[in-house]
Amino acid sequence: MGMMHQVVGNTIVEWDDAVPLKWTMIETTGPKNDPRIVTESFDLNELNESYEDVFLLTLKDTMIARRKRVGLLTIKNQVGQIRILLRKVHLKRVGNSRITQIDHAFLHILRTIIQDIPICYLIFFKQLFTENRESPLFTHDLVPSDFPVRKPDKGYQGVKIDAILAKALSRNAQVEILRRSEDAYESGIIDIGHFAFLHLAFHAYCRPSSYQSLTLADLQIIVDPETQIKTYVLLVIPKKTGISARALKKIPYQLDSIVGELLEAQRIQVIKTWGQNVANDNIGKLALFPARGIRPDGHWVANHARAHFGETNYTNFRRGYLDPIRKLQESINFDFNGLRHTVGTQLAVAGCSATTIAAVLKHASQATCQKYVDVAFQGLIDALSEAMEPAFATHFPKFRSKHDPLPPEKAINSTELATGHHELTGECGKTIACQYAPLACYSCIRFTPCFDADHSINLRLVESEIIKYESGNLPFRELARQFKEARRYIMLVVAAANQYQNILAIQKTSP
């Protein structure tokens, strides 16, 4: 009797031999020079009154062995699903005997309560049998068709498309999210961590796990020795489902100046708040978006955060960074997947293939991204509201290059105030560009931006105008508000242009 251990790949399984139905799975993730320990706990003891020990122990071994196929978090979710399904079936059984195997009688009961079981649970249950047909969990006379599976009314693809249409954001909604968050930041309702994260999320469209693993050292700032202009690059691990983070390399994201400056301010704040908790040599390992639960002595509450330089898990990351921003949005549905659905749909509407979308969003399979193409191909973009439909067409416009020929009267030129440098930043769709160019162009549906132009010129111009009018009386503050509105539209075009350049690079290197 004592602690038992089992190794499955890079995962260590531990349990007390006196309580074998309760176990933990521990594995190391992250790059080799900055490894992190992840632990998940499991417990099947609540089923002990309904199912024989040998059945539950076999189920435990089966789920542990699944680590060879799927990730640790997936196993955690699937154990939860199977536990709920088994409990529901037992509640409908007649008699007190404990279940020893999944048989036809068991599946008959399951069929009677199929409407009470989530579709994904039923699919996984059938998959578990298909992958383990010889397992003593199941009687030998079962076949896959015996397992009931409830299909959604709209079909599986229809459900996926509905999820996209429900969460994808119009450009007006994106600007409104930025506006409300900016007002909240200026009034102190949210802090620099929330504000910097939001702008990064609108710029990079990563999975939450990628944001969670960011460190201070991942933000690289390159200063031009002559102009002193800063270039910001963020090194990101593009987490993928089913692929160990240790097998992935960090990829560089070039950031626009607004996002870069916000992340630089966040880095300063992290060092100021938590720098005393680590040695100077380890400052760069501090999480860029650290856990927010703090003890009176200034250390993190969570054991994981204390052991890994402030890194937080998904639940605490969502609670600490996304939820405070969501509370500001009232009726706007906004979350991590919403941003990824937005850019995925925009890419599809712009004519990109599933392969290209998968590369941009760092999906493990292009099949996952086919649903975005289906939204565009089937004309389902028309199912969106009248306000959202044109927003998809304008937020990801038909870009042009600044090197393409253009009639002078339609050219939108921008000027860098500090140096006097002129650059073509877009084309006006009217006969002649209006007097409000270039700042008003970014919210205009007739504007065709140059994907290879330096739109940060106009960001800096807007910033200077905001500073000039911010401290004035009411009429001047209204001008400041208008320039802030222009800044949000410019930032969305900058993010779209960055994605477009990414697409061109992917398509250039694809066979």
Side-chain angles (χ1 to χ4, degrees), residues 52-174:
E52 290 286 355
D53 289 351
V54 65
F55 175 89
L56 295 176
L57 289 172
T58 303
L59 176 61
K60 167 192 170 183
D61 292 339
T62 302
M63 297 308 297
I64 290 174
R66 284 188 62 74
R67 184 60 190 88
K68 299 174 183 178
R69 295 173 177 264
V70 299
L72 186 55
L73 184 58
T74 300
I75 295 175
K76 178 72 172 179
N77 293 334
Q78 290 176 346
V79 169
Q81 292 177 14
I82 197 73
R83 191 171 62 232
I84 292 172
L85 185 149
L86 294 177
R87 186 167 62 242
K88 284 181 175 291
V89 170
H90 173 72
L91 291 175
K92 291 293 181 178
R93 287 181 74 241
V94 177
N96 298 320
S97 62
R98 295 200 296 175
I99 295 174
T100 59
Q101 279 186 307
I102 305 298
D103 56 14
H104 284 286
F106 180 100
L107 296 179
H108 175 72
I109 296 173
L110 179 60
R111 202 169 283 108
T112 65
I113 60 171
I114 191 171
Q115 295 300 325
D116 298 329
I117 307 294
I119 291 175
C120 60
Y121 291 20
L122 297 168
I123 292 174
F124 169 64
F125 191 48
K126 182 176 182 178
Q127 178 188 359
L128 191 68
F129 168 73
T130 302
E131 295 175 355
N132 302 274
R133 296 184 69 161
E134 304 302 321
S135 170
L137 285 173
F138 309 97
T139 57
H140 69 278
D141 57 341
L142 295 179
V143 294
S145 59
D146 292 329
F147 285 73
V149 176
R150 178 167 53 90
K151 294 183 178 180
D153 295 337
K154 295 184 178 180
Y156 298 114
Q157 192 71 355
V159 170
K160 292 178 180 179
I161 289 173
D162 281 351
I164 292 174
L165 298 181
K167 289 191 174 183
L169 300 166
S170 72
R171 185 167 70 154
N172 288 340
Q174 293 177 68

Side-chain angles (χ1 to χ4, degrees), residues 236-250:
V236 180
I237 296 179
K239 300 291 183 67
K240 296 183 181 181
T241 303
I243 299 178
S244 171
R246 293 174 68 82
L248 297 169
K249 294 183 179 180
K250 292 183 179 182

